[in-house]
Amino acid sequence: QVELVESGGGLVQAGGSLRLSCAASGSIFRIYTMGWYRQAPGKQRELVATITTGGATNYVDSVKGRFTISRDNSRNTVYLQMNSLKPEDTAVYYCNADAKVLYTYEQNNYWGQGTQVTVSS
């Protein structure tokens, strides 16, 4: 199986920056699209950004120009650089990955445990 572990969340003032990291480990044959989602209290989980193995990116409109997603394929790691943070960015941020495992070559979608990002006004 594949495990995703996020890090880098925390408390920051509005206008500040944070960088989230998510490392994948386990019986990995190949990781495909990776992404970040977030869920604020009382709201549904929403897509923040995704990145393909080739580096093509996609962002939700509300973060365009402020957040940057990147990945290091050699380390099976995806990053989310968040600048100009706003109180409405406050949420639990989840890492997501499509991955194929060794031996069975079964492909599944995986989630991390989440990391809290809190932006104070």
Side-chain angles (χ1 to χ4, degrees), residues 18-22 32-37 47-52 55-60 63-72 77-83 94-97:
L18 283 174
R19 188 189 194 212
L20 305 183
S21 300
C22 171
Y32 300 97
T33 297
M34 302 185 80
W36 291 94
Y37 290 71
L47 170 70
V48 176
T50 60
I51 184 168
T52 67
T57 59
N58 179 56
Y59 298 92
V60 66
V63 309
K64 286 180 180 178
R66 300 188 299 121
F67 291 11
T68 301
I69 189 170
S70 61
R71 65 190 287 172
D72 183 340
T77 299
V78 64
Y79 306 96
L80 186 68
Q81 178 66 43
M82 304 185 293
N83 299 328
Y94 296 91
C95 178
N96 179 269

Side-chain angles (χ1 to χ4, degrees), residues 12-15 66 84-91 117-121:
V12 64
Q13 288 188 331
R66 300 188 299 121
S84 302
L85 282 160
K86 304 176 181 180
E88 51 263 43
D89 294 318
T90 296
V117 171
T118 303
V119 185
S120 63
S121 58

